[in-house]
């Protein structure tokens, strides 16, 4: 009997404690974010798609999605929510037709998109290529079966790299033996041919840019001393027949770049520090390289600053910088002109210092 009373008292104490804790958590004030517009219209095209993801590390453990027009969506983190967060579908294609979402989430297909056209490609057991595609805004997914002239038997571990920077052609890289093979697909005639890139017989080429008439790629220069090998950049025609070294890009690190302006220019971010961002613009037609930079606003250039920098395929650079006081500065910069299109500060009326910028998206 005493044991029963002890268990009952213990259980009641636990319930009471949890109840008090729950009421305490509910009583904690949430952050009240608002946007102070410094320059530009937050409702203009593109800017209205910017979302800053801010995490409140306080006892309430909240996630906030803040748009530049001042709209704030809150999401209280819970153990159950975190457990099921990864099972809500393939988020990268959430606005696509369900049939394409199924293909994109499958390990059997490799996917790629450019300028409203999306593709899912896989190699069948007989060496033929299955291509499913659609134009964004349409619900119908079309399908084509192509037969390359040089049949490659697929491997379960092979991963296709899809490059689609022009309306009428797709380039696909696939591992093959000690190197990689490159295929060119004409999406008007629906033909497929293999392309041999010069100077890549013993190395893995990295495709930088490709349209119907021009291919820019990077390949390691083979030497007798592997530790001394260096990357060289080349430009060739769409069939890989005429090639030369591209000196203008030799000193540029292309780890973060996008093809913009209708496929005529490359934009690459080359440096990010606490004072400024630096990038280059390479004109594919004229082969001219120009250098650009943008400074971080006053008050954000020193101390412990959390920074996020992203570049989209429309030629826009987006930055988020947060001070120790918790203020988040958002900028949108035209990479081609260096003009600041928009600037705004996200502030918390309650001035919480436990907030942290965790992401910046444009969708």
């Amino acid at each position: 009997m005493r044991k029963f009373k002890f268990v009952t008292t213990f259980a009641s104490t636990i319930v009471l404690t949890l109840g008090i804790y729950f009421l305490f958590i509910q009583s904690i004030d949430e952050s009240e974010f608002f946007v102070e517009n410094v320059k530009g219209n937050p409702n203009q095209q593109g800017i209205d798609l910017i979302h800053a993801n801010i995490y409140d590390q306080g006892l309430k453990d909240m996630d906030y999605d803040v748009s530049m027009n001042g709209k704030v969506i809150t999401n209280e983190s819970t153990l159950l929510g975190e457990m099921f967060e990864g099972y809500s579908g393939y988020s990268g294609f959430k606005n696509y037709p369900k049939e394409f979402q199924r293909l994109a989430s499958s390990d059997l297909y490799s996917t790629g998109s450019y300028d409203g056209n999306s593709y899912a490609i896989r190699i069948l057991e007989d060496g033929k290529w299955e291509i499913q595609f659609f134009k964004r805004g349409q619900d119908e997914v079309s399908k084509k079966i192509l037969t390359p002239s040089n049949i490659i038997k697929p491997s379960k571990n092979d991963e296709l790299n899809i490059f689609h920077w022009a309306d009428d052609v797709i380039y696909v890289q696939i591992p093959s033996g000690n190197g990689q093979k490159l295929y060119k697909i004409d999406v008007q005639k629906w033909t497929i041919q293999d392309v041999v890139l010069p100077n890549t017989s013993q190395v893995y080429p990295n495709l930088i840019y490709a349209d119907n008439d021009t291919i820019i790629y990077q390949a390691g220069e083979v030497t007798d001393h592997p530790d001394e090998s260096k990357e060289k950049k080349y430009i060739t025609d769409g069939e890989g027949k005429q090639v030369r070294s591209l000196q203008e890009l030799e000193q540029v690190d292309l780890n973060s770049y996008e093809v913009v302006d209708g496929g005529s220019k490359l934009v690459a971010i080359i440096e990010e520090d606490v004072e400024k961002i630096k990038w280059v613009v390479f004109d594919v037609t004229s082969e001219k390289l120009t250098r650009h930079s943008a400074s971080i606003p006053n008050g954000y250039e020193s101390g412990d600053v959390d920074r996020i920098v992203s570049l989209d395929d429309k030629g826009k650079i987006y930055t988020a910088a947060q001070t120790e006081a918790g203020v988040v500065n958002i900028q949108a910069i035209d990479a081609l002109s260096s003009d600041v299109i928009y600037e705004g500060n996200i502030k918390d009326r309650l001035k919480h210092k436990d907030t942290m910028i965790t992401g910046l998206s444009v969708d």
Side-chain angles (χ1 to χ4, degrees), residues 48-229:
D48 58 345
L49 300 177
I50 300 176
H51 298 265
N53 306 114
I54 301 176
Y55 173 58
D56 190 335
Q57 306 171 80
L59 290 174
K60 209 159 188 180
D61 198 19
M62 300 286 291
D63 290 308
Y64 298 85
D65 182 296
V66 184
S67 300
M68 297 306 97
N69 60 11
K71 182 179 180 181
V72 179
I73 299 175
T74 61
N75 176 36
E76 185 170 357
S77 298
T78 64
L79 178 60
L80 189 63
E82 292 173 1
M83 288 173 60
F84 289 96
E85 184 177 6
Y87 297 93
S88 58
Y90 194 76
S91 59
F93 294 90
K94 60 184 179 182
N95 296 322
Y96 290 36
K98 291 188 179 299
E99 183 178 355
F100 196 85
Q101 290 186 44
R102 178 182 59 81
L103 300 177
S105 60
S106 169
D107 293 336
L108 298 176
Y109 292 85
S110 297
T111 56
S113 297
Y114 174 77
D115 199 24
N117 300 312
S118 299
Y119 297 87
I121 302 176
R122 69 166 175 162
I123 301 179
L124 304 175
E125 291 296 331
D126 60 3
K128 295 181 179 180
W129 290 39
E130 176 190 326
I131 304 177
Q132 303 210 33
F133 60 96
F134 83 101
K135 290 184 177 294
R136 191 168 300 176
Q138 299 180 354
D139 294 328
E140 183 180 353
V141 178
S142 302
K143 178 179 176 180
K144 292 285 186 180
I145 301 293
L146 303 183
T147 303
S149 57
N150 184 13
I151 297 293
I152 288 183
K153 294 297 182 181
S155 167
K156 292 183 179 180
N157 297 322
D158 282 349
E159 181 177 350
L160 309 183
N161 295 314
I162 301 173
F163 300 90
H164 183 223
W165 292 312
D167 291 333
D168 53 357
V169 65
I170 309 171
Y171 286 89
V172 180
Q173 269 184 324
I174 177 174
S176 175
N178 295 324
Q180 295 203 12
K181 289 196 68 70
L182 180 65
Y183 287 89
K184 178 180 178 180
I185 301 174
D186 186 322
V187 298
Q188 303 296 328
K189 301 177 182 178
W190 287 111
T191 57
I192 180 171
Q193 67 181 90
D194 52 340
V195 178
V196 179
L197 295 177
N199 305 312
T200 61
S201 60
Q202 302 180 50
V203 295
Y204 288 87
N206 176 28
L207 211 61
I208 297 171
Y209 171 89
D211 63 17
N212 201 25
D213 303 313
T214 305
I215 302 174
I216 298 175
Y217 61 99
Q218 180 173 278
E221 186 179 21
V222 180
T223 67
D224 295 333
H225 305 283
D227 295 338
E228 300 177 2
S229 62

Side-chain angles (χ1 to χ4, degrees), residues 34-40 68 297 300 319 321 327-332 340 342-347:
F34 68 98
V35 179
E36 176 188 75
N37 293 304
V38 178
K39 179 179 180 179
M68 297 306 97
Y300 296 84
T319 70
V327 179
V328 179
N329 177 267
I330 304 293
Q331 283 191 339
V340 176
Y342 174 82
E343 181 181 350
N345 293 321
I346 301 175
K347 298 182 176 181

Side-chain angles (χ1 to χ4, degrees), residues 299-362:
Y300 296 84
E301 73 276 13
S302 61
D304 293 330
V305 178
D306 291 325
R307 289 278 306 283
I308 295 176
V309 177
S310 64
L311 170 66
D312 71 5
D313 59 4
K314 300 295 188 297
K316 303 295 186 296
I317 298 173
Y318 302 92
T319 70
Q322 183 174 16
T323 65
E324 291 182 350
V327 179
V328 179
N329 177 267
I330 304 293
Q331 283 191 339
I333 304 168
D334 186 318
L336 302 183
S337 66
S338 299
D339 293 335
V340 176
I341 303 169
Y342 174 82
E343 181 181 350
N345 293 321
I346 301 175
K347 298 182 176 181
D348 181 4
R349 287 190 175 89
L350 300 182
K351 298 183 179 180
H352 285 177
K353 292 186 179 181
D354 290 331
T355 59
M356 177 176 61
I357 179 76
T358 59
L360 188 65
S361 60
V362 184

